[in-house]
Amino acid sequence: VIDYLRDKRLLLVLDNFEQLVTAAPVVSGLLAAAPHLKVIASSRTALKLHGEREFPVPPLELPGRDGAATLEELAGNESICLFVERAQAVRPAFALTQDNAAAVADICRRLDGLPLAIELAAARVKLLSPQAILARLDDRLKLLTGGARDLPARHQALRNTLEWSYSLLAPQEKLLYARLGVFAGGFTLEAAGAVCNPDSQLDVLEGLTSLADNSLLRQAEEAGDEPRFGMLETIRAYALEKLAEIGELAPLQERHGRYFSGVLLQQAGEQLYSPRALYWLNWIEREIDNVRATLDWSLTVADGAELDAGLAWSLLWFWYRRGYLSEGRRWTGHVLALPALQKATPPRALALVVSGMMALWQGEQENGLAKIRESLAIELQLENEQMVAPLLFGNGVALINMGRDSAARPFLEEAQALFKQQHQDYFHIFTIVHLGNVELGLGNAEQARALQEEAYIQAQAFDENWLISFALNNLGEVARVQGQYQQARGYYEACEALLCDTGDTGDLARFAHSLGYVALHEGDYSRAGTQFRDSLAMFRRLGNRRGMAECMAGLAGLQARQGQVAWGAVMLNAAEAVLQSTGGAWWPADRLEVERNQAYIRSALDEAAWAEAQARGRAMTLEQALAFAAPEA
């Protein structure tokens, strides 16, 4: 072979070289003997030769998860193109349609864009619809069989491919690979060592290197200085099968759950209310799939009520700040339904306050207040002083949301004193802001401004961006009540700058809505419309009915001023109905805006037209009001 190649100028292609990787020195010898020779080797593992350059082959392009792509855009996606092409090979009439496009996109995503997996799934179109294939992907290794008979066995079923890859691993690599399957959505080196190597019998670093070299792991984004690894879900499914075969599935799930619950309870939960908040918000976001797996596992733990409640409390602020309220409420609902939480115990009180606060944030004031009050009664009965302050605080916030500012004041003042006594600086500042909101609600704008300025100074000293923005936002509310719109704009824009890259979707939605009113006041109707509609879209994703009502009221005033007075009248009354359904009342600044909008609209309509608009708007459900406000969405 060397004699043949020595003087040739050609490209030598060596396909599937991982089967012969120990013969890599032969390739080196060929290159040394034939100076004009070039070699491309496709291989699951690198040859590790001098001068070798690696070009990782990624999976196929995947469709986005936001569902915003058109049918034409989906049809041009790499993964979907392959699925459609292979589906038409077994069923010529198959086509991508509005009815099946979402299912086909989900199939491609669930299969990680792996060509073989997509081909095998598409072959099932002969008997199953894409929706039916998607429903069966939980057992993907059984479903994805039936490749062409003239292909190698490893290409006739996905399991065969994985078994072939698995067979090439050393015994310790096989064990580590199986154990790593317990991680969902990736892991760090530290987590892999803690969960998969408790007895220090495995060389985790060397094992991870080998698995990455064998294309069973891929290195993901860096988490600070800590490398992060992940498995494609199809490869992970096979690892979990192997873990179950060796009898380690339940023990590894417990070690995984204990590790992540330990981080949440002992570090993240507390430091979310500290200057390190952004680090821990990002950590939880990055580990969200592992956190979800931990939550599911915790519900199965015998006598785990205290653990479940503690996890809910630790995640409460993350669920709020990153917009996971609906998910958090669903999980906390499961916790509250546990038999062990039907008695008046500290875990029940903790789960109740978490559920209650999330209900408030989604615009269910009566529901939220009832849960907070039940929680407070339990903690007072048990004399749990550490929890009394946050519960008094939550009670006060609920009453502010309902427009009952006088009733809220004593709860907040008592909470403030307790937070100060307990050196809970974050919550102490938080409470000052809400006491300022009480004053604003009672019509004492100057007292409100003084309290917000005091909170702002203390928040700057505390040095946490969300807390600073909270005080600034409420200074903006005071300015807007006093008609100082230019000053209000400055406060709101400063808030956006502080939180522009922190993932605080709910707060960014509120700033957008407030800036919409500033633009409306300034006569910039185009910008006002953009602000209100962007904010409405964000509040819809969050499930925040109160926020939706606020944006509807803003759109009502905007459209009325642009000549659509009848539309504005209906929308304003629909907004009022949505807000009333939450049990809440308008914030002081919004109340003034609504009153101005109403006065403008009523001046342009006769009594009969106003009465008709009022009846029509107030009869709308939330869904009807949203369709009326933003039909394009």
Side-chain angles (χ1 to χ4, degrees):
V1 172
I2 287 176
D3 287 342
Y4 176 78
L5 294 174
R6 191 182 310 275
D7 299 322
K8 299 289 191 301
R9 184 182 297 274
L10 55 77
L11 174 68
L12 177 63
V13 179
L14 305 172
D15 195 20
N16 287 342
F17 201 83
E18 65 270 13
Q19 301 171 88
L20 302 169
V21 73
T22 55
V26 173
V27 179
S28 182
L30 293 176
L31 290 167
H36 300 298
L37 177 68
K38 294 186 184 298
V39 174
I40 287 181
S42 72
S43 177
R44 199 193 63 185
T45 62
L47 277 61
K48 296 185 178 178
L49 297 176
H50 178 69
E52 179 179 8
R53 294 182 64 187
E54 294 183 33
F55 295 90
V57 181
L60 297 177
E61 172 199 11
L62 290 173
R65 293 183 179 275
D66 57 9
T70 65
L71 188 64
E72 184 178 0
E73 289 169 338
L74 289 174
N77 178 267
E78 285 182 349
S79 296
I80 292 177
C81 277
L82 178 62
F83 183 96
V84 172
E85 178 186 315
R86 294 299 188 266
Q88 289 174 341
V90 297
R91 190 178 171 191
F94 180 83
L96 193 70
T97 67
Q98 291 290 355
D99 291 336
N100 65 26
V104 172
D106 281 344
I107 289 168
C108 294
R109 281 192 292 266
R110 291 279 300 277
L111 297 178
D112 307 305
L114 293 175
L116 175 59
I118 291 172
E119 288 189 17
L120 295 172
R124 292 294 185 182
V125 164
K126 191 168 186 176
L127 294 177
L128 300 173
S129 69
Q131 292 86 341
I133 294 171
L134 181 62
R136 289 165 171 78
L137 278 187
D138 284 342
D139 194 4
R140 68 188 73 190
L141 298 182
K142 182 178 178 181
L143 177 73
L144 302 179
T145 60
R149 290 173 182 164
D150 59 346
L151 290 175
R154 65 180 182 274
H155 290 168
Q156 294 180 30
L158 189 59
R159 182 185 299 282
N160 293 345
T161 299
L162 294 168
E163 286 175 349
W164 172 70
S165 297
Y166 181 76
S167 69
L168 300 178
L169 298 177
Q172 282 209 331
E173 293 169 350
K174 289 179 178 179
L175 179 59
L176 180 60
Y177 163 64
R179 287 179 174 178
L180 290 170
V182 77
F183 289 102
F187 53 88
T188 62
L189 179 59
E190 176 189 343
V195 175
C196 300
N197 194 29
D199 51 8
S200 301
Q201 296 300 304
L202 298 177
D203 187 337
V204 174
L205 181 58
E206 189 61 34
L208 291 177
T209 302
S210 177
L211 291 174
D213 285 345
N214 282 282
S215 303
L216 290 170
L217 282 184
R218 53 183 181 175
Q219 189 164 348
E221 81 282 0
E222 297 290 315
D225 296 328
E226 183 77 357
R228 187 172 181 82
F229 303 90
M231 284 184 185
L232 297 176
E233 279 303 302
T234 303
I235 293 173
R236 178 173 175 252
Y238 187 74
L240 287 172
E241 275 196 11
K242 290 300 175 185
L243 194 61
E245 283 179 15
I246 62 177
E248 286 198 4
L249 181 57
L252 259 293
Q253 285 174 331
E254 179 170 359
R255 284 211 292 270
H256 175 277
R258 297 289 179 197
Y259 173 80
F260 282 99
S261 59
V263 175
L264 290 169
L265 294 170
Q266 297 163 24
Q267 298 181 68
E270 181 178 342
Q271 293 195 50
L272 285 174
Y273 306 98
S274 78
R276 283 179 54 79
L278 185 57
Y279 170 86
W280 286 106
L281 287 169
N282 290 338
W283 184 91
I284 298 173
E285 190 87 59
R286 190 165 52 246
E287 300 289 0
I288 190 65
D289 291 323
N290 283 313
V291 169
R292 287 167 176 155
T294 298
L295 296 177
D296 289 339
W297 163 81
S298 73
L299 290 173
T300 69
V301 176
D303 302 323
E306 187 172 348
L307 173 62
D308 293 324
L311 289 171
W313 179 252
S314 296
L315 287 165
L316 171 61
W317 203 226
F318 168 79
W319 283 331
Y320 167 74
R321 289 191 58 177
R322 290 296 170 91
Y324 288 85
L325 291 174
S326 295
E327 179 179 336
R329 290 186 71 186
R330 282 194 300 272
W331 187 77
T332 310
H334 294 317
V335 173
L336 284 168
L338 292 172
L341 265 74
Q342 302 316 302
K343 296 180 180 178
T345 60
R348 176 170 177 79
L350 207 54
L352 278 169
V353 69
V354 172
S355 182
M357 290 304 298
M358 289 190 289
L360 295 184
W361 291 327
Q362 283 200 314
E364 296 180 21
Q365 310 306 325
E366 295 287 356
N367 179 10
L369 181 58
K371 288 179 176 177
I372 292 168
R373 283 183 167 170
E374 182 185 345
S375 179
L376 179 58
I378 293 172
E379 298 292 15
L380 288 172
Q381 179 185 343
L382 298 172
E383 299 181 351
N384 185 357
E385 294 183 2
Q386 195 65 30
M387 281 303 300
V388 168
L391 286 164
L392 291 168
F393 171 80
N395 208 317
V397 172
L399 292 169
I400 291 175
N401 289 354
M402 299 166 80
R404 298 164 59 184
D405 297 288
S406 295
R409 178 187 276 154
F411 286 101
L412 293 171
E413 288 176 341
E414 189 175 352
Q416 181 191 28
L418 288 171
F419 285 138
K420 188 173 184 178
Q421 179 183 325
Q422 296 167 4
H423 304 291
Q424 297 278 347
D425 294 340
Y426 190 99
F427 293 103
H428 181 254
I429 299 167
F430 208 172
T431 310
I432 295 172
V433 173
H434 277 296
L435 283 168
N437 291 337
V438 165
E439 295 299 335
L440 192 61
L442 294 173
N444 305 321
E446 286 306 318
Q447 291 92 320
R449 182 186 296 279
L451 285 165
Q452 302 299 358
E453 288 175 345
E454 177 188 347
Y456 175 58
I457 292 168
Q458 292 191 30
Q460 284 184 303
F462 192 84
D463 193 27
E464 199 278 309
N465 278 6
W466 185 90
L467 201 55
I468 295 170
S469 77
F470 188 53
L472 282 173
N473 173 68
N474 285 281
L475 278 167
E477 295 292 282
V478 174
R480 196 149 55 97
V481 165
Q482 295 184 317
Q484 299 167 350
Y485 281 87
Q486 187 172 359
Q487 190 176 54
R489 175 194 290 280
Y491 287 131
Y492 297 139
E493 289 179 344
C495 290
E496 283 189 324
L498 284 167
L499 301 188
C500 63
D501 59 356
T502 63
D504 287 280
T505 52
D507 292 285
L508 290 170
R510 188 158 308 287
F511 306 150
H513 148 268
S514 299
L515 283 166
Y517 270 121
V518 173
L520 181 60
H521 172 79
E522 294 173 344
D524 188 346
Y525 294 160
S526 175
R527 184 181 180 195
T530 298
Q531 294 290 140
F532 286 134
R533 288 188 174 88
D534 287 349
S535 180
L536 179 60
M538 288 189 275
F539 279 130
R540 288 182 73 172
R541 286 193 292 271
L542 293 166
N544 186 329
R545 293 189 295 155
R546 181 197 188 93
M548 290 183 239
E550 293 166 353
C551 294
M552 291 176 200
L555 285 168
L558 170 66
Q559 296 296 91
R561 284 166 174 78
Q562 291 182 300
Q564 299 182 49
V565 180
W567 188 99
V570 173
M571 190 73 266
L572 186 62
N573 281 287
E576 289 271 14
V578 170
L579 184 70
Q580 286 176 9
S581 74
T582 72
W586 298 114
W587 301 116
D590 278 6
R591 183 171 65 241
L592 290 175
E593 306 286 6
V594 168
E595 289 170 354
R596 291 190 191 107
N597 289 340
Q598 187 179 80
Y600 182 89
I601 291 169
R602 294 206 65 173
S603 69
L605 293 176
D606 58 34
E607 287 299 321
W610 172 254
E612 181 184 347
Q614 192 172 41
R616 185 179 171 195
R618 299 210 167 212
M620 285 183 177
T621 64
L622 174 62
E623 291 72 23
Q624 290 169 334
L626 288 170
F628 190 75
E632 72 281 357

